[in-house]
Amino acid sequence: MIQLNINGRSHNVDVEPNTPLLWAIREQVGLTGTKYGCGIAQCGACTIHLDGAAVRSCALPVSAAAGKRITTIEGLASGKTLHKVQKAWVDHDVPQCGYCQAGMIMAVAALLKDKPKPTNADIDATITNICRCGTFQQVRAAIHAAAKASV
Ligand code: FES
Ligand code: FES
């Protein structure tokens, strides 16, 4: 049994230590906002925060997350108040099919914490998530809008 702290709550998961964290989050804990895309740390659909840093949970063994603070898309808002990245996403109508968007939002939230006013070069270097619907222009506009928002 491995204990995980997800979105401020403690969960005991009964999985092998080398099980990808993504499967513990989705299958054991039932938080299905975090998506599976490639399984090899390439697409970013499975991005979550581990102690505040963006990580690709499909490539991280669950044992590496024990004792750390895990945040998923379900825990990004503060109660009913959306995170500023979520607000910008709504305002800019970013999602199309939506499949990649939870991971994209988590990656962007971590970027803005490290670099509150990212340049386009910062965005290109950091937000390497893949969107098969091609929302990249809306994503960029929403990132700059979120960077201007105070909360
Ligand atoms: S599913 Fe994890 S990076 Fe693609
Ligand atoms: S919105 Fe469809 S894959 Fe990104």
Side-chain angles (χ1 to χ4, degrees), residues 95-101 131-133 135:
Q96 290 194 30
C97 81
Y99 197 84
C100 71
Q101 296 291 329
C131 173
R132 292 177 66 170
C133 298
T135 61

Side-chain angles (χ1 to χ4, degrees), residues 1-4 11-18 62-67:
M1 201 68 87
I2 295 174
Q3 193 174 65
L4 297 176
H11 299 271
N12 290 319
V13 295
D14 188 10
V15 292
E16 294 296 321
N18 62 355
V62 70
S63 55

Side-chain angles (χ1 to χ4, degrees), residues 53-138:
V55 298
R56 296 185 173 185
S57 61
C58 70
L60 189 79
V62 70
S63 55
K68 300 197 171 160
R69 194 165 35 89
I70 299 163
T71 307
T72 68
I73 189 72
E74 291 90 345
L76 191 62
S78 297
K80 293 196 167 158
T81 305
L82 292 179
H83 185 281
K84 65 182 176 181
V85 174
Q86 294 171 307
K87 280 188 205 141
W89 249 238
V90 172
D91 291 347
H92 285 76
D93 214 5
V94 175
Q96 290 194 30
C97 81
Y99 197 84
C100 71
Q101 296 291 329
M104 192 78 86
I105 287 170
M106 295 307 283
V108 171
L111 167 65
L112 292 182
K113 195 154 65 63
D114 291 344
K115 284 198 171 147
K117 304 280 178 208
T119 63
N120 283 337
D122 294 330
I123 294 168
D124 290 343
T126 310
I127 307 303
T128 55
N129 301 46
I130 294 170
C131 173
R132 292 177 66 170
C133 298
T135 61
F136 300 108
Q137 293 310 315
Q138 294 97 315

Side-chain angles (χ1 to χ4, degrees), residues 36-39 41-44 46 56 58:
Y36 172 78
C38 64
Q42 294 296 302
C43 74
C46 64
R56 296 185 173 185
C58 70

